[in-house]
Amino acid sequence: MRARDLGVGGQRVAVIAGIHGTEQEGLRHVPELVAMLALQPADIRLYEDVNPDGTAAHRRGTSAGVDPNRNWPASSFTAAQSRGPRPLSEPGVGHVYRDLVQFNPDLVVVLHSTSSGPFVNYDGPAEGLARRFAAAAGAPWFVKPSMGYATPGSLGSWMGRDRGQPILTLEFLRGSPPEQTGPALLAGLGAVIRDGPLEEEPPRVR
Ligand SMILES: [Zn+2]
């Protein structure tokens, strides 16, 4: 796990540039993220990749065939081949989990991609932040409050629903060129981090 501490102090923001090995649209912008986040009025921890083995192999899951976004200690976790025998069974997830607990972020942002993107999904009290991100990222970005399917053991379930912390799940359009994803990512993140304190909103009931 590679993590960098960036920013000039303030609210604690964790940014996870990659988690699914077949979704590397965000990962390629790590150098720009480092440069941009270094100047932000926040205490930022940038995690490069929860699943580096999967990234190297262009494989969604870990070497054990587990989805690293279904292996978190959420109350919704149930054991399955694709989710692991227990939460944190995957070393990469365990490392980031332990570090996240210690860092105790006020906001988590995690980067993915999907064929139905680009959109921003959220868990916990983050609806306003999601709107702010989408507005700054610009069209065709939109806010998608629910993924439309169950996500037991996901990072969003653990961080957002169980812990009540805001988390944004950014879904780039799969295969988008970097000249589209980069400016949207930097504009959206900048707006979320810079434009005043985080709003306090009641968690969305679903
Ligand atoms: Zn993903």
Side-chain angles (χ1 to χ4, degrees), residues 9 12-13 17 42 51 54 59-60 98 121 123 145 154 179:
R12 292 180 305 285
V13 180
N51 182 24
R59 181 187 60 224
R60 177 180 171 88
R98 285 185 288 277
N121 169 252
D123 288 289
S154 70
E179 56 268 28

Side-chain angles (χ1 to χ4, degrees), residues 19-23 60 67 69 111-114 147 149 169-171 174:
I19 183 164
H20 285 136
T22 47
E23 303 173 11
R60 177 180 171 88
D67 185 331
N69 197 29
L111 277 49
H112 293 254
S113 73
T114 176
M147 297 298 283
Y149 49 83
T169 299
L170 308 185
E171 295 277 4
R174 184 83 46 86

